[in-house]
Amino acid sequence: MFVVCQLTAFHLVVAVAHLPSHRVTCHHAADIGKPCHLRRLIPRGRITNTYAYGYVSRLLSRRRGTTAEPRVADNTVGTAHGGGTMSAQDVDSDADADAETDGGGQMPKPHTVRLELVDEPGQLLAALQPIAENGGNLLSIFHERGNLTPRGHIPVEVDLECPPDRFEGIVEALREAGVNVIRAGAEHFGEEVTLILVGDLVDSDLSDTLHRVEASADATVKDLSLSAPDGTQESSSARLRLAARAGKADEALTVVRDIAAEKDLHVIEPLTEDAA
Amino acid sequence: MTLRLAVLGAGAVGGSVLDLAGEYGHEVVAFADSSSSVTDHAGLDPAVVHDRKEREGVVGDDAPEALFDADYDVLVEATPTTLGDAEPGFSHVERALADDKHVVLANKGPVAERYAELRALEAESEGRVQFEATVGGAIPVLSTISDLGAEHVTAARGVLNGTANFILSRMAAEGLDYEHVLAEAQDLGVAEADPTFDVDGIDAALKFVILANVLSDGDAEYRLDDADVEGIRNVPGTALDLAAEDGRTVRLIGEATADGVRVAPRLVPQGAALAVTGTQNIVQLETEHAGQLNVSGRGAGGPETATAVLSDVSRLE
Ligand SMILES: NC(=O)c1ccc[n+]([C@@H]2O[C@H](COP(=O)([O-])OP(=O)(O)OC[C@H]3O[C@@H](n4cnc5c(N)ncnc54)[C@H](OP(=O)(O)O)[C@@H]3O)[C@@H](O)[C@H]2O)c1
């Protein structure tokens, strides 16, 4: 079950539905850049709190310059916590301010924080607010309801992105807000690679491509964005953000290259960050 | 010292060399196109030569080979770049060196496809070979490397094809597809009627092969065949959209590194030095002791390229 926002490129979604990854953003090419069409799909287990989902969507759509409110389809899954404890407007203005300051200074880096939440409504939102307020962009939330810590709390893993010099501030703000932070640190996958795959992604089974990348490259697909043209001859593209263990990014790229060659896809590889 | 030039090739580059030589203190004494040549040891009058070429399609009454009989110091080779045996450019260079004349190349063929042979011929001659214009038009790439010392430059990367860069940056900025922007570039004269060389990455690859030859300093020889080349025809608008959404863009990036020569569309951050726009070119040199050095500017055009040719001529004084 997924949260799907009126996807017209439905076949593309089906192709990636089994992705064991964190967040999937799906665009329909004809709609890119237009408000109100940020399409999103969240695989099961990632976010089970619909309020949190709305919140994250807002942050993400802000970040991507989309002004539209993400529309959540009726088949929204997950156990919704009662009570919207926070108004979306508050969230937006915070996110806005942060988005603007993101540009300057250091490049954002991925970080993971592991939190323990009391199983009460509104807890997750309360935990996310200090992150947004202190310049963090939420990437994904893994909220394992039903899996309790020895102390009877719910473990939540939050992947976020922020300039390195802001990370301490975020952790501090979380603690000040009374959130129990059990582990905080740079992304356990030390290196990130962003690349674009071009070609007939659906016919070449994107889902299989991603599975194989994850299986053979010792890498995780952190983020996937699809852009599928509508009624034109143009090829589809998928932007992948891979997290690889430190020093293994090149290996991950080689794996992608090989799989792409086999499936007649093109890879637009990144130029190493320090070179650009 | 005034050097006497024999200019082979009467196109955009050769024609501009004829026009600008005087400003650089040199004179053109012989000039040839594919079917004719003209020699005047008192110095050719550019206006007269251009006028005849325009009206009659020839530059003079003599055969092209007669150019080599002129009393000249430097052969400027500005005939079309050819692949493989790099002919007839290579034979032109060979002939001038055999006569102990200097050679300045705008033609990329001989330095990209037959570098070692060319250097061997140069070693036997009193003449020297210069080829700044073959890499990045007006941008002083090779002279910068020569100043730094090729052994201190560990890699070169960058954007060295204005046509491909124009197309990619227009596609990204306007959200237009490849065919549309290509047609626009052809209307503007930025792309040729047959854009293959540019959009398939061959032109950029030749330049990075030349860079690799210069950087390897005799240790290894590179040819176009050794380069891993991918052009921009497979970059759809959807890819540029996804790149932009993530603060990146796509550029046709060439690399000459210890691993060899590679040209391919690559993701680069939007604000990065290598993300030049329009027909702008840039080369980034990785140095052993001085970090990165970027040189950018106009990589093509008749007067631009002639400027590089004439700087080379002045180095031979
Ligand atoms: N244009 C640039 O921005 C640029 C930049 C860097 C390097 N280059 C290189 O510089 C060279 C010249 O470029 P261009 O733009 O000036 O080319 P172009 O405008 O096409 O002119 C080529 C000229 O070469 C002549 N030619 C052809 N075959 C010949 C032969 N066998 N003997 C004598 N002349 C011959 C042609 O004669 P006809 O007039 O009779 O046809 C024409 O005048 C090329 O190798 C190119 O790759 C150009």
Side-chain angles (χ1 to χ4, degrees):
Chain A
M1 295 278 268
F2 317 102
V3 178
V4 179
C5 307
Q6 299 191 352
L7 277 149
T8 46
F10 194 74
H11 56 292
L12 284 177
V13 174
V14 173
V16 299
H18 305 294
L19 180 70
S21 127
H22 307 215
R23 177 165 64 80
V24 178
T25 313
C26 188
H27 301 279
H28 200 251
D31 300 323
I32 281 182
K34 293 188 197 148
C36 215
H37 286 288
L38 188 75
R39 307 181 191 287
R40 186 172 306 286
L41 146 144
I42 308 280
R44 190 215 307 257
R46 277 296 143 192
I47 298 176
T48 54
N49 179 315
T50 48
Y51 284 94
Y53 168 65
Y55 180 92
V56 174
S57 300
R58 279 174 170 281
L59 289 182
L60 291 171
S61 51
R62 281 284 160 187
R63 203 172 135 234
R64 289 170 186 278
T66 311
T67 47
E69 198 171 321
R71 286 174 291 175
V72 180
D74 287 345
N75 61 341
T76 304
V77 273
T79 40
H81 277 303
T85 51
M86 176 184 230
S87 89
Q89 280 68 32
D90 293 342
V91 173
D92 273 356
S93 52
D94 292 334
D96 255 358
D98 292 327
E100 243 113 78
T101 49
D102 266 4
Q106 296 170 276
M107 284 287 285
K109 285 252 155 37
H111 298 270
T112 301
V113 279
R114 240 182 118 72
L115 314 173
E116 276 187 7
L117 299 181
V118 182
D119 191 5
E120 278 173 21
Q123 281 291 301
L124 183 57
L125 286 173
L128 298 181
Q129 192 170 17
I131 296 175
E133 280 172 355
N134 288 278
N137 279 319
L138 291 167
L139 298 177
S140 73
I141 300 160
F142 190 31
H143 181 185
E144 305 166 64
R145 277 177 60 86
N147 178 10
L148 300 183
T149 67
R151 275 174 291 186
H153 294 166
I154 305 171
V156 176
E157 204 168 271
V158 179
D159 284 346
L160 59 96
E161 196 178 55
C162 68
D165 58 354
R166 294 221 181 162
F167 186 63
E168 279 309 310
I170 288 171
V171 173
E172 215 166 284
L174 280 168
R175 293 197 162 121
E176 268 168 29
V179 178
N180 192 11
V181 182
I182 47 178
R183 188 160 56 79
E187 177 60 57
H188 24 249
F189 282 99
E191 277 183 53
E192 284 208 348
V193 194
T194 296
L195 55 92
I196 293 179
L197 283 176
V198 177
D200 204 337
L201 297 168
V202 177
D203 281 358
S204 67
D205 195 348
L206 183 59
S207 179
D208 169 73
T209 305
L210 300 173
H211 275 302
R212 282 173 58 192
V213 169
E214 295 210 320
S216 43
D218 198 8
T220 319
V221 178
K222 296 286 291 182
D223 189 302
L224 168 70
S225 285
L226 281 176
S227 184
D230 198 11
T232 70
Q233 290 303 303
E234 215 180 41
S235 312
S236 314
S237 298
R239 189 185 69 233
L240 267 62
R241 190 158 59 96
L242 301 180
R245 299 196 186 280
K248 299 283 184 195
D250 277 351
E251 254 169 62
L253 262 180
T254 308
V255 169
V256 174
R257 219 180 277 155
D258 291 348
I259 297 174
E262 184 190 310
K263 295 190 171 200
D264 207 15
L265 300 173
H266 293 278
V267 192
I268 303 180
E269 295 179 26
L271 194 65
T272 45
E273 295 292 328
D274 55 336
Chain B
M1 188 175 92
T2 299
L3 292 176
R4 292 161 299 170
L5 314 183
V7 179
L8 200 46
V13 177
S16 292
V17 171
L18 176 65
D19 290 335
L20 300 176
E23 275 188 49
Y24 287 75
H26 306 296
E27 64 183 7
V28 178
V29 295
F31 194 67
D33 63 8
S34 64
S35 65
S36 66
S37 75
V38 57
T39 301
D40 184 344
H41 289 108
L44 289 166
D45 179 344
V48 172
V49 177
H50 283 307
D51 190 49
R52 177 143 188 208
K53 172 80 179 157
E54 205 169 299
R55 280 189 293 112
E56 299 172 35
V58 294
V59 296
D61 299 322
D62 304 329
E65 306 78 54
L67 171 127
F68 289 99
D69 300 329
D71 195 7
Y72 69 96
D73 303 305
V74 184
L75 175 76
V76 173
E77 221 297 343
T79 66
T81 292
T82 54
L83 306 181
D85 64 5
E87 292 294 3
F90 191 86
S91 293
H92 295 156
V93 179
E94 190 170 25
R95 169 129 190 219
L97 287 175
D99 292 342
D100 288 326
K101 311 289 188 191
H102 298 302
V103 176
V104 172
L105 287 160
N107 180 351
K108 296 176 264 285
V111 258
E113 297 285 48
R114 299 174 73 176
Y115 189 76
E117 266 179 276
L118 186 81
R119 286 301 198 190
L121 291 174
E122 184 191 23
E124 311 246 295
S125 170
E126 296 287 306
R128 281 159 55 202
V129 180
Q130 299 277 21
F131 44 98
E132 178 71 85
T134 62
V135 181
I139 311 171
V141 182
L142 300 182
S143 55
T144 304
I145 292 174
S146 141
D147 284 352
L148 291 164
E151 69 277 22
H152 299 302
V153 179
T154 50
R157 48 176 72 86
V159 173
L160 279 177
N161 186 275
T163 305
N165 202 65
F166 176 89
I167 292 173
L168 289 175
S169 46
R170 284 288 291 169
M171 282 174 73
E174 308 296 330
L176 299 169
D177 64 23
Y178 171 81
E179 298 297 338
H180 188 120
V181 177
L182 174 62
E184 181 193 65
Q186 285 167 330
D187 287 345
L188 288 171
V190 169
E192 309 205 5
D194 176 6
T196 312
F197 244 50
D198 297 316
V199 299
D200 286 349
I202 299 163
D203 174 71
L206 287 171
K207 293 166 184 171
F208 281 94
V209 165
I210 297 169
L211 280 169
N213 280 327
V214 169
L215 292 181
S216 92
D217 209 11
D219 291 342
E221 185 188 3
Y222 296 88
R223 291 190 178 87
L224 182 61
D225 276 352
D226 303 316
D228 186 357
V229 189
E230 201 187 314
I232 62 168
R233 286 189 214 243
N234 290 318
V235 180
T238 50
L240 288 157
D241 290 339
L242 289 178
E245 195 188 72
D246 196 38
R248 296 164 203 251
T249 190
V250 179
R251 288 290 181 265
L252 184 65
I253 301 284
E255 295 180 283
T257 65
D259 298 333
V261 176
R262 178 175 177 201
V263 172
R266 304 285 284 271
L267 279 172
V268 293
Q270 267 168 357
L274 293 188
V276 288
T277 54
T279 55
Q280 195 80 358
N281 281 197
I282 182 164
V283 174
Q284 181 170 77
L285 300 174
E286 198 87 52
T287 68
E288 207 177 9
H289 306 297
Q292 285 171 352
L293 211 74
N294 298 333
V295 258
S296 66
R298 295 198 193 166
E304 289 83 352
T305 308
T307 297
V309 166
L310 290 162
S311 307
D312 268 351
V313 170
S314 296
R315 282 184 199 103
L316 293 167
E317 280 177 20

